Amino acid sequence: MRILLLEDDADLAEVVALGLRNESYAVDVVGTYAGADELLRTTTYDVACVDLGLPDGDGLDLVRRLTTDGELRRPRRSLILTARDAVGDRVAGLDAGADDYLVKPFHFAELMARLRALARRGDDRGALLNVGDVTLDLATHTASRSGTRLRLTAREFSLLRYFMHHPGEVLSAEDLLEHVWDANADPFTATVRVILSRLRRKLGEPPLIFTITGAGYQLRPSS
Protein backbone atom coordinates (compact mmCIF):
# COMPACT_ATOMS: atom_id res chain seq x y z
CA MET A 1 0.00 0.00 0.00
CA ARG A 2 1.31 3.43 -0.95
CA ILE A 3 0.40 6.35 1.28
CA LEU A 4 0.62 10.11 0.80
CA LEU A 5 1.30 11.79 4.15
CA LEU A 6 0.54 15.51 4.00
CA GLU A 7 1.80 16.96 7.29
CA ASP A 8 3.52 20.32 7.83
CA ASP A 9 4.96 19.38 11.25
CA ALA A 10 8.27 17.90 10.10
CA ASP A 11 8.96 16.08 13.38
CA LEU A 12 5.53 14.45 13.49
CA ALA A 13 5.72 13.56 9.80
CA GLU A 14 9.08 11.87 10.31
CA VAL A 15 7.82 9.80 13.25
CA VAL A 16 4.62 8.74 11.49
CA ALA A 17 6.40 7.93 8.23
CA LEU A 18 9.00 5.83 10.04
CA GLY A 19 6.29 3.89 11.85
CA LEU A 20 4.36 3.28 8.63
CA ARG A 21 7.47 2.14 6.78
CA ASN A 22 8.27 -0.25 9.63
CA GLU A 23 4.79 -1.70 9.03
CA SER A 24 5.71 -2.24 5.35
CA TYR A 25 3.82 0.72 3.88
CA ALA A 26 5.38 2.87 1.18
CA VAL A 27 5.12 6.52 2.25
CA ASP A 28 5.64 9.79 0.40
CA VAL A 29 5.85 12.76 2.78
CA VAL A 30 5.04 16.34 1.82
CA GLY A 31 4.52 19.41 3.99
CA THR A 32 2.63 21.83 1.76
CA TYR A 33 -0.60 22.04 -0.19
CA ALA A 34 1.33 22.80 -3.37
CA GLY A 35 3.60 19.81 -2.86
CA ALA A 36 0.67 17.48 -2.37
CA ASP A 37 -1.04 18.90 -5.45
CA GLU A 38 2.08 18.17 -7.52
CA LEU A 39 2.36 14.58 -6.30
CA LEU A 40 -1.33 13.87 -6.81
CA ARG A 41 -1.07 14.88 -10.45
CA THR A 42 1.51 12.18 -11.17
CA THR A 43 1.16 9.43 -8.55
CA THR A 44 -1.68 7.10 -7.60
CA TYR A 45 -2.04 6.48 -3.86
CA ASP A 46 -4.01 3.91 -1.94
CA VAL A 47 -4.57 6.34 0.95
CA ALA A 48 -4.00 10.08 1.37
CA CYS A 49 -3.52 11.21 4.98
CA VAL A 50 -4.25 14.93 4.97
CA ASP A 51 -3.55 17.58 7.58
CA LEU A 52 -5.94 20.54 7.45
CA GLY A 53 -3.83 23.44 8.76
CA LEU A 54 -1.17 23.94 6.09
CA PRO A 55 1.17 26.89 5.56
CA ASP A 56 -0.07 27.56 2.02
CA GLY A 57 -3.69 26.45 2.07
CA ASP A 58 -6.44 24.45 3.75
CA GLY A 59 -6.28 20.67 3.52
CA LEU A 60 -10.08 20.57 3.50
CA ASP A 61 -10.03 22.21 0.09
CA LEU A 62 -7.67 19.51 -1.14
CA VAL A 63 -9.97 16.78 0.20
CA ARG A 64 -12.84 18.30 -1.76
CA ARG A 65 -10.75 18.46 -4.91
CA LEU A 66 -9.88 14.77 -4.65
CA THR A 67 -13.47 13.99 -5.60
CA THR A 68 -14.00 16.74 -8.17
CA ASP A 69 -10.72 17.71 -9.86
CA GLY A 70 -10.05 15.48 -12.86
CA GLU A 71 -6.43 16.58 -12.98
CA LEU A 72 -5.70 14.87 -9.66
CA ARG A 73 -5.32 11.11 -9.32
CA ARG A 74 -7.91 10.25 -6.72
CA PRO A 75 -6.61 7.98 -3.91
CA ARG A 76 -8.74 4.96 -3.10
CA ARG A 77 -9.29 6.37 0.41
CA SER A 78 -8.57 9.57 2.32
CA LEU A 79 -7.99 10.12 6.04
CA ILE A 80 -7.89 13.54 7.70
CA LEU A 81 -5.25 13.91 10.44
CA THR A 82 -5.77 17.20 12.28
CA ALA A 83 -5.87 19.02 15.59
CA ARG A 84 -9.32 20.41 14.73
CA ASP A 85 -11.51 18.46 17.12
CA ALA A 86 -14.87 20.24 17.05
CA VAL A 87 -17.89 18.27 15.91
CA GLY A 88 -18.46 20.81 13.13
CA ASP A 89 -14.93 20.23 11.83
CA ARG A 90 -15.44 16.47 11.76
CA VAL A 91 -18.73 16.85 9.94
CA ALA A 92 -17.16 19.23 7.42
CA GLY A 93 -14.27 16.85 6.79
CA LEU A 94 -16.47 13.83 6.20
CA ASP A 95 -18.93 15.82 4.10
CA ALA A 96 -16.01 17.06 1.99
CA GLY A 97 -15.34 13.46 0.97
CA ALA A 98 -12.90 12.09 3.55
CA ASP A 99 -13.36 8.44 4.46
CA ASP A 100 -12.18 8.90 8.05
CA TYR A 101 -11.17 11.62 10.51
CA LEU A 102 -8.54 11.25 13.25
CA VAL A 103 -7.77 13.99 15.77
CA LYS A 104 -4.25 14.79 16.97
CA PRO A 105 -2.68 13.79 19.21
CA PHE A 106 -3.38 10.18 18.35
CA HIS A 107 -1.88 6.83 19.22
CA PHE A 108 -0.01 5.22 16.35
CA ALA A 109 -1.81 1.93 16.98
CA GLU A 110 -5.14 3.65 16.30
CA LEU A 111 -3.82 5.13 13.05
CA MET A 112 -2.73 1.65 11.96
CA ALA A 113 -6.13 0.19 12.85
CA ARG A 114 -7.90 2.88 10.85
CA LEU A 115 -5.65 2.31 7.83
CA ARG A 116 -6.38 -1.41 7.97
CA ALA A 117 -10.10 -0.65 8.18
CA LEU A 118 -9.87 1.66 5.17
CA ALA A 119 -8.02 -1.02 3.22
CA ARG A 120 -10.80 -3.52 4.01
CA ARG A 121 -13.62 -1.17 3.06
CA GLY A 122 -15.40 -2.65 0.07
CA ASP A 123 -13.37 -5.84 0.48
CA ASP A 124 -15.08 -8.85 2.06
CA ARG A 125 -11.77 -10.58 2.79
CA GLY A 126 -11.34 -8.79 6.11
CA ALA A 127 -8.01 -8.92 7.94
CA LEU A 128 -7.03 -12.30 6.48
CA LEU A 129 -5.85 -12.75 2.91
CA ASN A 130 -5.80 -16.31 1.57
CA VAL A 131 -4.43 -17.33 -1.80
CA GLY A 132 -3.90 -21.04 -2.23
CA ASP A 133 -1.99 -22.27 0.82
CA VAL A 134 -0.63 -18.83 1.73
CA THR A 135 -2.27 -16.75 4.46
CA LEU A 136 -1.55 -13.13 5.35
CA ASP A 137 -2.89 -11.73 8.60
CA LEU A 138 -2.97 -7.97 8.15
CA ALA A 139 -3.84 -7.33 11.80
CA THR A 140 -0.91 -9.25 13.28
CA HIS A 141 1.37 -8.63 10.29
CA THR A 142 2.20 -12.32 9.90
CA ALA A 143 2.38 -14.65 6.92
CA SER A 144 2.30 -18.42 6.63
CA ARG A 145 2.30 -21.14 4.01
CA SER A 146 0.61 -24.45 4.73
CA GLY A 147 0.59 -23.45 8.39
CA THR A 148 4.33 -22.72 8.54
CA ARG A 149 5.27 -19.19 9.57
CA LEU A 150 7.15 -17.16 6.95
CA ARG A 151 9.74 -14.78 8.36
CA LEU A 152 9.48 -11.84 6.01
CA THR A 153 11.01 -8.39 6.11
CA ALA A 154 8.64 -5.42 5.97
CA ARG A 155 9.30 -4.96 2.25
CA GLU A 156 8.83 -8.66 1.47
CA PHE A 157 5.55 -8.64 3.41
CA SER A 158 4.35 -5.57 1.52
CA LEU A 159 5.27 -7.12 -1.82
CA LEU A 160 3.49 -10.39 -1.02
CA ARG A 161 0.44 -8.45 0.18
CA TYR A 162 0.24 -6.60 -3.13
CA PHE A 163 0.49 -9.85 -5.10
CA MET A 164 -2.21 -11.41 -2.94
CA HIS A 165 -4.52 -8.48 -3.58
CA HIS A 166 -4.06 -9.21 -7.31
CA PRO A 167 -3.87 -13.02 -7.70
CA GLY A 168 -3.56 -14.19 -11.28
CA GLU A 169 -2.89 -10.69 -12.60
CA VAL A 170 0.34 -9.91 -14.45
CA LEU A 171 2.03 -7.08 -12.57
CA SER A 172 4.84 -5.13 -14.18
CA ALA A 173 7.93 -3.96 -12.30
CA GLU A 174 6.50 -0.45 -12.67
CA ASP A 175 3.26 -1.56 -10.95
CA LEU A 176 5.25 -2.95 -8.04
CA LEU A 177 7.42 0.16 -7.72
CA GLU A 178 4.31 2.33 -7.83
CA HIS A 179 2.48 0.55 -5.02
CA VAL A 180 5.09 -1.18 -2.85
CA TRP A 181 7.93 1.34 -2.92
CA ASP A 182 7.81 5.10 -2.33
CA ALA A 183 9.43 8.07 -4.04
CA ASN A 184 12.83 7.19 -2.58
CA ALA A 185 13.06 4.08 -4.76
CA ASP A 186 15.36 4.27 -7.78
CA PRO A 187 13.45 2.87 -10.79
CA PHE A 188 16.71 2.11 -12.58
CA THR A 189 18.03 -0.33 -9.99
CA ALA A 190 17.33 -4.05 -9.68
CA THR A 191 15.52 -3.48 -6.37
CA VAL A 192 12.30 -5.25 -7.44
CA ARG A 193 14.17 -8.30 -8.71
CA VAL A 194 16.30 -8.52 -5.56
CA ILE A 195 13.37 -8.37 -3.11
CA LEU A 196 11.27 -10.63 -5.32
CA SER A 197 14.04 -13.22 -5.44
CA ARG A 198 14.26 -13.24 -1.65
CA LEU A 199 10.48 -13.54 -1.33
CA ARG A 200 10.34 -16.45 -3.76
CA ARG A 201 13.04 -18.24 -1.82
CA LYS A 202 11.20 -17.80 1.47
CA LEU A 203 7.90 -18.97 -0.04
CA GLY A 204 9.58 -22.25 -0.97
CA GLU A 205 8.29 -24.99 -3.27
CA PRO A 206 6.27 -25.37 -5.35
CA PRO A 207 6.84 -21.89 -6.78
CA LEU A 208 4.04 -19.33 -6.54
CA ILE A 209 5.35 -16.23 -8.32
CA PHE A 210 6.24 -16.60 -11.98
CA THR A 211 8.04 -14.31 -14.41
CA ILE A 212 6.03 -13.47 -17.51
CA THR A 213 8.64 -12.60 -20.11
CA GLY A 214 8.33 -9.04 -21.32
CA ALA A 215 5.32 -8.33 -19.11
CA GLY A 216 6.08 -8.76 -15.41
CA TYR A 217 5.20 -11.20 -12.65
CA GLN A 218 2.19 -13.29 -11.70
CA LEU A 219 1.07 -14.96 -8.48
CA ARG A 220 -0.47 -18.35 -9.21
CA PRO A 221 -1.98 -20.26 -6.28
CA SER A 222 -0.53 -23.71 -5.77
CA SER A 223 -2.98 -26.54 -6.35
Side-chain angles (χ1 to χ4, degrees):
M1 179 185 291
R2 189 167 183 176
I3 296 173
L4 173 65
L5 176 61
L6 172 55
E7 172 57 63
D8 69 327
D9 183 328
D11 291 335
L12 176 60
E14 182 179 2
V15 170
V16 173
L18 178 61
L20 291 173
R21 288 170 180 147
N22 285 340
E23 294 292 331
S24 80
Y25 294 102
V27 186
D28 292 339
V29 180
V30 66
T32 64
Y33 186 111
D37 180 279
E38 182 178 355
L39 284 175
L40 287 163
R41 291 175 185 272
T42 59
T43 307
T44 301
Y45 292 97
D46 297 290
V47 179
C49 296
V50 180
D51 187 13
L52 296 185
L54 302 169
D56 59 342
D58 191 336
L60 192 61
D61 175 63
L62 182 63
V63 172
R64 292 191 187 98
R65 288 180 57 213
L66 291 177
T67 62
T68 60
D69 191 336
E71 294 186 359
L72 301 184
R73 298 190 180 186
R74 183 178 181 178
R76 291 182 61 246
R77 304 293 178 198
S78 59
L79 167 63
I80 290 176
L81 298 175
T82 182
R84 300 179 189 175
D85 60 354
V87 172
D89 292 319
R90 297 172 192 253
V91 171
L94 296 172
D95 283 347
D99 295 287
D100 202 355
Y101 194 107
L102 182 59
V103 175
K104 304 174 188 174
F106 54 83
H107 290 284
F108 184 74
E110 183 179 1
L111 173 61
M112 288 302 306
R114 288 173 181 262
L115 288 173
R116 290 193 296 268
L118 288 176
R120 293 195 301 270
R121 193 169 294 181
D123 185 346
D124 60 6
R125 290 172 291 191
L128 289 179
L129 293 181
N130 291 283
V131 176
D133 57 355
V134 177
T135 299
L136 239 60
D137 189 324
L138 303 181
T140 62
H141 208 265
T142 56
S144 61
R145 183 173 188 186
S146 297
T148 300
R149 176 83 173 268
L150 301 173
R151 303 201 174 275
L152 305 179
T153 66
R155 187 67 68 200
E156 292 161 358
F157 184 92
S158 184
L159 184 59
L160 180 58
R161 177 175 58 199
Y162 190 68
F163 271 112
M164 290 181 67
H165 274 296
H166 303 274
E169 295 182 31
V170 177
L171 305 174
S172 68
E174 291 76 15
D175 289 330
L176 300 178
L177 278 170
E178 178 80 12
H179 293 278
V180 181
W181 279 263
D182 53 36
N184 296 317
D186 183 350
F188 299 105
T189 68
T191 182
V192 171
R193 292 199 303 273
V194 170
I195 302 299
L196 186 55
S197 176
R198 293 200 324 228
L199 176 59
R200 281 168 159 164
R201 185 167 61 251
K202 291 183 179 182
L203 286 170
E205 297 293 335
L208 292 175
I209 301 174
F210 296 83
T211 299
I212 308 301
T213 304
Y217 308 95
Q218 182 184 46
L219 174 67
R220 300 176 191 165
S222 59
S223 57

